[in-house]
Amino acid sequence: MKKLVILLLFISIWVIVSGFVCCQRPAVVNIGAIFTFDSVIGKAAKPAMEAALSDVNNDSRIRTKLKLLMGDVNSSVFLGTIDAFQLVEKEVVAIIGPQVSGIAHMISSIANGLQVPLISYAATDPTLSALQFPFFVRTTQSDSYQMAAMADLVDFFRWKEVIVVGVDDDYGRNGIAALEEELNKKMAKISYKLMLCNPLDESEVMDKLNKSKLLGSRVYVVHVNPDPKLTIFTVAQKLQMMTDTYTWLATDWLSATLDSFPPTKKTSLGFLQGVVGLRQHTPESSQKRAFMSRWKRMQQKGSASSELNTYGLQAYDTVWLVAYAIDRLLDEHKNITFSPNSKILHVNISGLQIEKLKVFTGGNDLLDIVLQTNFTGLSGQIQFNQDRNVFSGGYDVLNIDGVSIRTVGYWSNAAGFSLSPPEARKGKQDINCCRDQRLHNITWPGGKSKTPRGWVIAVDERPLRIGVPYRASFTDFVTEVPGSHKIKGYCIDVFVKALELVPYHVPYMFHPFGNGRSNPKYDALVKMVAADVFDAAVGDIAIVTNRTKIVDFSQPYASTGLVIVAPILNSKSSAWVFLKPFSTEMWCVTAASFVVIAVVIWVLEHRVNDHFRGPPRRQLVTMFLFSFSTLFKTNKETTVSPLGKLVMVVWLFLLMVITASYTASLTSILTIQQLSSPITGIESLIASQWPIGYQTGSFAYDYLSENLYIARSRLVPLGSPEEYESALRRGPSDGGVAAIVDELPYVDLFLSSQKDFGIIGQPFTRGGWGFAFQRESPLALDISTAILKLSEDGELQKIYEKWFCKMGCHGEKKHGNEPNQLNLTSFWGLYILCGAFALTAFFVFLLRMVRQFVRYKRRQSLSSSPSSVSSSTRCSHVIYHFFNFIDEKEEAIKKMFNHCEHPHPQANP
């Protein structure tokens, strides 16, 4: 019983003591730091963290002291892994670092397994933000932000291609991948990647930079680790690549390196003139200025061997971040505990004391507190986003001008480029902030202030490779002079003249494409440009849809289109050609109209117009001469009656339309040759089953077969103008062709020496000839501008006349179908209108005459007794008197009315 009481008492004491120990706040907490001591970043980070540790341990607000255990990894993933295991054996609750992204990838896996937060102030690899590394936190800016700034910088100066120089490790590859993604958003691209070993080897750098001189782009983006030797630029200077034809952009490794240099070394940076770089922006503050002064004193005491850079400020803030988080963790949970890892306990590996690795039980809580922490440090606001990265504070844009390093502007993710720092623009952003992108004037390599073009088309060591068709026919357009390897032709002269207007030197070399015995296939030539066999193609290259999908074309320098050529006959020899404009029906109706108008006008004018009175023969002649002579001259006989004038207005309008149409139709007949084949256009050609000729190598073959669905068996290749003539003369019945489909310039040249063939109708496709370039080639735009200038100045026409007007230029020989005769269908409306007016006027006149005659007879009957005659005799008598009444002049009728109203009195016997 006594033993039982003693046992219970012992257990109670043990529980009380254990609980007291567990709840007791530790006086010192271990944290680790892994980085490379002897590096640009490490030389600033080590004294900065030591200073921060001193400030934390002397701050009364922080009740728990920190012990910082540092490990030098010497930029080695292997050593970094060993140091990480050694630190976690010492029960550190957090690890600061590493600075190398490759080491961060490895240690992050260890941190995940042991639940120890890994907080880096220098590892910028964007992929470290993945869910794969939940315990990785970053107090520096991810390269995803930096590459967005770099892409905006490239877009700001309107460059479309860059060459990237980077190290071949996680930091370099993933950073460049982020840049490529951002450039794609700006419709730009990385044309070439120069991946280098780490550390940099000068001979390798020289070899790769020298090879890059043959590439077109002249904008270099350098993304390497901080390098005190500045190897890239030293080699570039030796290769004469720091001149005004090159542009150099650098990520923040350069600013970190230069900021670490002592003032005496910064005076020897002349070879960096014109380089533009980025630096992580840190706002100015009294706290930052005080630390800068303190850093000077540390240098004097020997505790700091390097100048302070941005990474040093971020290392200082990282220590404070850990201190705040641990202090809050202890406030909430009182103690820090570690527990064995159940997975490790079952692993039996002799020699490795792996069982000493314990899991930090408060790791998740500490991580949550770190991510919730928000304070203002030396580098700015420390606050984390959902990717466990500190919110981007933006970047300074630096320009090295001689021995000075100037800040020419600032970049922020929200506002782009600005002349004021991001903190000055907070709360001032508006919808126009992203449009007002500005930077101070930049000094570029060579001391130039003008923005470099950023690319060259070719260099003397590698001239532009231009493919030209080696034509066998129509050689005036382009071909190689046999035995001389000289390329000549109309197209070549246009290209050379346009190249003279391009504002930069373009070395080039022509390469004939084809064997010279037959015309080459132009689609194959264009595909060789797309496949980078040629840089461009110059010649009579038609701009068609399937070609524009794989290459870029210049502005067309010649208009063209597909036309139909067929045999023709000349109709000028016909003695009766003047009758052809009107159909027989049209001639008959027109003649009848003249007669009708003559009769109507005579009826309307006879009573009131002396010109239409007199002997019957004279009236007949006057009537018809008046009608027919209105075609040619103004008649001396004028119309007097209102109805006659109305009819004449309508009749003259009809004559105007008829004569104009007749003149136009006759002109066409007399100037246009007539076809001897029944083909009237592309529709009738498709509908027929006759063979069709096309030029060898032309796109016409594919167009006719694929777009117009003409059977390929009907298409006959023809290689020269002589074959054109022979095939057309023989015709489809004798092994020839019914027509030839070819481009208009070739046809014009062919017809210039042929009189028996002509063009049917108008071109049934519209297009042009241009020069083909590789996709997104800047030379395409400049050549297009030059072609427009040549066209405006009349130079294109002069070049054309030089080649094709040696014997004197004639008008374009364009022929068409025989015009259809003008028939009544086109004019029946006018005839009906004129006839309606004429008949209406005639009936109005007739009714008026009947009315007057009735009035006259009624008054006559009142003044005399009616005669006793038969009804038949009376009727004929009335009709006779009516015509006599109409034949009387208007004045005589008025006298008759007066006589009936006032008869003379009879004398008494």
Side-chain angles (χ1 to χ4, degrees):
M1 183 65 180
K2 184 177 181 180
K3 292 180 180 181
L4 181 60
V5 172
I6 294 172
L7 179 61
L8 292 173
L9 181 62
F10 176 78
I11 293 173
S12 300
I13 294 172
W14 182 82
V15 170
I16 293 172
V17 171
S18 299
F20 177 76
V21 171
C22 290
C23 295
Q24 186 179 9
R25 186 186 187 101
V28 178
V29 174
N30 292 338
I31 60 173
I34 297 176
F35 59 100
T36 300
F37 292 178
D38 188 23
S39 66
V40 171
I41 294 177
K43 288 178 180 179
K46 187 174 183 294
M49 287 191 288
E50 290 172 344
L53 182 68
S54 174
D55 293 345
V56 166
N57 289 337
N58 291 324
D59 194 318
S60 59
R61 296 173 300 172
I62 307 299
R63 292 185 292 166
T64 302
K65 307 304 179 185
L66 299 182
K67 183 179 180 181
L68 182 61
L69 306 175
M70 296 187 182
D72 184 6
V73 301
N74 197 25
S75 299
S76 169
V77 176
F78 176 70
L79 293 178
T81 305
I82 294 176
D83 283 344
F85 279 120
Q86 290 177 344
L87 288 176
V88 294
E89 282 184 9
K90 298 175 182 178
E91 296 185 345
V92 296
V93 299
I95 299 175
I96 297 175
Q99 70 190 56
V100 179
S101 297
I103 300 175
H105 277 276
M106 178 61 71
I107 299 180
S108 292
S109 299
I110 299 174
N112 291 347
L114 301 179
Q115 298 184 9
V116 176
L118 180 64
I119 307 171
S120 177
Y121 55 85
T124 58
D125 180 358
T127 61
L128 288 168
S129 300
L131 297 176
Q132 179 185 357
F133 309 113
F135 279 84
F136 179 84
V137 181
R138 184 163 21 215
T139 55
T140 188
Q141 296 186 41
S142 168
D143 275 342
S144 60
Y145 292 106
Q146 179 168 213
M147 295 311 174
M150 185 60 71
D152 277 356
L153 190 63
V154 171
D155 184 61
F156 181 82
F157 294 107
R158 299 182 179 179
W159 297 316
K160 293 301 180 184
E161 291 187 11
V162 300
I163 296 174
V164 175
V165 182
V167 288
D168 195 9
D169 59 12
D170 290 332
Y171 161 76
R173 288 190 300 271
N174 295 329
I176 292 172
L179 175 61
E180 192 166 29
E181 182 179 349
E182 293 296 332
L183 286 174
N184 288 339
K185 297 177 183 178
K186 306 293 182 181
M187 302 301 290
K189 68 177 182 178
I190 297 175
S191 61
Y192 199 77
K193 300 176 185 177
L194 303 179
M195 306 306 293
L196 306 169
C197 294
N198 188 29
L200 300 177
D201 179 71
E202 186 171 332
S203 61
E204 180 192 22
V205 174
M206 181 169 291
D207 178 61
K208 292 194 173 183
L209 283 183
N210 196 38
K211 291 179 179 177
S212 73
K213 293 170 70 174
L214 300 178
L215 304 175
S217 177
R218 285 294 183 263
V219 180
Y220 288 78
V221 177
V222 184
H223 183 59
V224 296
N225 293 306
D227 177 24
K229 297 180 181 179
L230 300 173
T231 306
I232 301 293
F233 299 110
T234 303
V235 172
Q237 185 188 32
K238 293 179 181 178
L239 295 174
Q240 298 182 344
M241 297 176 67
M242 299 300 294
T243 60
D244 57 357
T245 58
Y246 291 85
T247 303
W248 293 90
L249 309 177
T251 53
D252 66 344
W253 71 270
L254 180 61
S255 62
T257 301
L258 298 181
D259 289 343
S260 302
F261 284 172
T264 55
K265 193 172 181 179
K266 291 182 180 178
T267 59
S268 59
L269 301 178
F271 68 97
L272 291 178
Q273 184 181 50
V275 177
V276 177
L278 299 176
R279 176 202 285 148
Q280 294 188 48
H281 178 69
T282 55
E284 292 297 325
S285 64
S286 57
Q287 184 183 3
K288 177 182 174 182
R289 287 191 292 270
F291 188 77
M292 297 289 288
S293 301
R294 178 182 174 186
W295 190 269
K296 297 295 183 184
R297 296 191 297 270
M298 292 169 61
Q299 287 179 305
Q300 293 172 359
K301 294 178 182 179
S303 57
S305 61
S306 166
E307 295 293 327
L308 184 62
N309 57 37
T310 304
Y311 290 106
L313 299 176
Q314 292 169 341
Y316 180 92
D317 290 342
T318 303
V319 174
W320 271 100
L321 169 67
V322 174
Y324 285 135
I326 291 175
D327 196 58
R328 181 179 166 188
L329 176 71
L330 293 176
D331 287 342
E332 295 178 1
H333 300 280
K334 304 302 182 184
N335 202 355
I336 292 174
T337 59
F338 293 85
S339 63
N341 191 322
S342 58
K343 297 180 181 179
I344 294 178
L345 293 177
H346 298 291
V347 177
N348 185 14
I349 304 178
S350 60
L352 295 179
Q353 297 177 346
I354 198 169
E355 68 277 356
K356 292 184 178 181
L357 301 178
K358 296 181 180 180
V359 177
F360 176 31
T361 55
N364 281 308
D365 295 328
L366 180 61
L367 177 64
D368 291 339
I369 293 173
V370 167
L371 296 177
Q372 295 169 13
T373 303
N374 184 1
F375 71 98
T376 301
L378 299 181
S379 60
Q381 194 71 21
I382 305 299
Q383 186 179 4
F384 297 95
N385 59 23
Q386 60 183 6
D387 293 326
R388 306 179 305 283
N389 297 323
V390 70
F391 278 103
S392 174
Y395 285 86
D396 301 339
V397 182
L398 308 179
N399 179 219
I400 302 174
D401 184 6
V403 296
S404 65
I405 303 174
R406 298 186 301 120
T407 300
V408 295
Y410 304 88
W411 178 89
S412 66
N413 196 32
F417 293 106
S418 171
L419 299 181
S420 56
E423 62 271 14
R425 295 174 62 90
K426 279 189 176 179
K428 297 182 181 180
Q429 282 92 347
D430 54 33
I431 58 175
N432 295 319
C433 67
C434 294
R435 300 177 186 174
D436 186 23
Q437 304 283 295
R438 297 179 61 194
L439 291 173
H440 288 295
N441 292 332
I442 293 177
T443 301
W444 299 101
K448 300 294 182 66
S449 58
K450 182 180 179 181
T451 303
R453 190 170 62 248
W455 48 265
V456 293
I457 291 299
V459 293
D460 293 330
E461 294 81 2
R462 184 186 178 278
L464 199 69
R465 303 161 300 172
I466 300 179
V468 294
Y470 190 180
R471 293 191 60 89
S473 63
F474 298 107
T475 55
D476 284 343
F477 291 105
V478 58
T479 194
E480 181 183 32
V481 179
S484 67
H485 301 292
K486 181 181 178 182
I487 307 298
K488 70 171 187 177
Y490 163 68
C491 305
I492 299 300
D493 283 2
V494 172
F495 176 76
V496 173
K497 197 69 176 178
L499 209 57
E500 293 176 0
L501 300 180
V502 173
Y504 45 85
H505 175 60
V506 182
Y508 64 89
M509 180 177 293
F510 289 130
H511 297 270
F513 177 73
N515 55 22
R517 294 185 296 273
S518 62
N519 294 333
K521 293 185 177 180
Y522 281 54
D523 282 342
L525 175 59
V526 172
K527 288 177 181 178
M528 293 185 76
V529 175
D532 198 29
V533 177
F534 296 131
D535 297 307
V538 170
D540 46 343
I541 305 171
I543 304 173
V544 293
T545 303
N546 65 320
R547 296 173 183 172
T548 58
K549 294 178 180 178
I550 57 176
V551 296
D552 287 342
F553 277 95
S554 68
Q555 174 79 14
Y557 63 87
S559 298
T560 183
L562 291 178
V563 295
I564 302 172
V565 182
I568 57 173
L569 289 177
N570 197 335
S571 62
K572 295 179 182 179
S573 59
S574 173
W576 301 100
V577 68
F578 68 90
L579 295 176
K580 289 191 175 182
F582 288 168
S583 65
T584 303
E585 181 184 27
M586 184 72 176
W587 280 118
C588 293
V589 172
T590 303
S593 299
F594 277 101
V595 174
V596 170
I597 293 298
V599 172
V600 171
I601 292 297
W602 179 83
V603 170
L604 297 178
E605 296 292 319
H606 178 68
R607 297 185 64 204
V608 295
N609 195 334
D610 292 334
H611 291 296
F612 292 86
R613 300 188 66 83
R617 182 177 178 181
R618 177 189 170 190
Q619 292 188 49
L620 188 65
V621 171
T622 301
M623 179 175 63
F624 286 104
L625 282 178
F626 178 86
S627 176
F628 284 97
S629 63
T630 52
L631 278 171
F632 316 110
K633 64 183 181 65
T634 302
N635 295 293
K636 68 177 183 178
E637 300 90 357
T638 59
T639 53
V640 175
S641 67
L643 291 176
K645 291 180 178 180
L646 178 64
V647 172
M648 283 302 299
V649 168
V650 178
W651 173 244
L652 290 176
F653 175 75
L654 173 65
L655 284 182
M656 180 188 69
V657 176
I658 294 298
T659 53
S661 302
Y662 175 88
T663 303
S665 181
L666 182 60
T667 302
S668 299
I669 293 173
L670 293 175
T671 57
I672 295 179
Q673 294 172 328
Q674 305 303 301
L675 299 172
S676 63
S677 78
I679 298 172
T680 59
I682 187 62
E683 292 81 7
S684 61
L685 186 61
I686 295 173
S688 71
Q689 295 301 317
W690 293 319
I692 304 170
Y694 70 93
Q695 184 182 165
T696 303
S698 170
F699 79 96
Y701 177 78
D702 289 334
Y703 183 83
L704 294 173
S705 60
E706 296 177 5
N707 293 67
L708 301 184
Y709 305 105
I710 297 176
R712 296 178 186 268
S713 58
R714 293 177 56 194
L715 303 179
V716 179
L718 302 172
S720 66
E722 293 75 18
E723 293 184 17
Y724 280 24
E725 180 182 3
S726 175
L728 287 172
R729 290 192 186 281
R730 286 185 283 120
S733 61
D734 192 22
V737 296
I740 294 175
V741 173
D742 203 355
E743 294 179 75
L744 186 59
Y746 302 122
V747 171
D748 281 340
L749 190 59
F750 169 68
L751 294 180
S752 65
S753 60
Q754 297 291 334
K755 305 301 181 183
D756 298 329
F757 311 109
I759 299 174
I760 301 178
Q762 299 297 320
F764 58 89
T765 67
R766 297 287 180 179
W769 285 350
F771 305 131
F773 298 89
Q774 293 183 6
R775 298 303 295 266
E776 301 180 5
S777 171
L779 185 57
L781 178 60
D782 291 331
I783 287 291
S784 295
T785 304
I787 289 174
L788 289 175
K789 180 67 175 175
L790 291 176
S791 178
E792 293 170 358
D793 295 344
E795 291 295 329
L796 283 181
Q797 182 61 28
K798 291 179 181 178
I799 297 173
Y800 180 86
E801 291 173 358
K802 169 189 171 183
W803 282 96
F804 305 113
C805 298
K806 299 173 184 177
M807 303 300 293
C809 273
H810 305 285
E812 291 186 353
K813 190 174 181 180
K814 295 184 181 179
H815 308 287
N817 295 339
E818 176 182 3
N820 291 327
Q821 287 182 323
L822 299 175
N823 52 52
L824 187 60
T825 305
S826 304
F827 301 96
W828 66 268
L830 278 175
Y831 281 111
I832 289 179
L833 180 66
C834 183
F837 271 91
L839 291 178
T840 301
F842 177 80
F843 283 117
V844 168
F845 172 82
L846 188 62
L847 290 174
R848 181 167 168 265
M849 289 298 99
V850 170
R851 180 171 172 272
Q852 285 184 351
F853 181 74
V854 170
R855 287 177 55 201
Y856 169 73
K857 282 297 181 180
R858 184 180 298 118
R859 292 182 181 181
Q860 189 180 42
S861 62
L862 294 175
S863 60
S864 61
S865 61
S867 59
S868 56
V869 293
S870 64
S871 60
S872 59
T873 304
R874 184 182 296 272
C875 181
S876 60
H877 184 70
V878 169
I879 295 174
Y880 174 78
H881 278 282
F882 178 71
F883 281 103
N884 285 337
F885 181 81
I886 293 176
D887 188 55
E888 292 291 336
K889 291 187 65 175
E890 187 73 23
E891 295 176 358
I893 297 300
K894 290 181 179 179
K895 289 181 180 180
M896 290 180 185
F897 276 106
N898 290 333
H899 178 72
C900 293
E901 292 175 356
H902 307 286
H904 296 289
Q906 295 181 355
N908 295 323

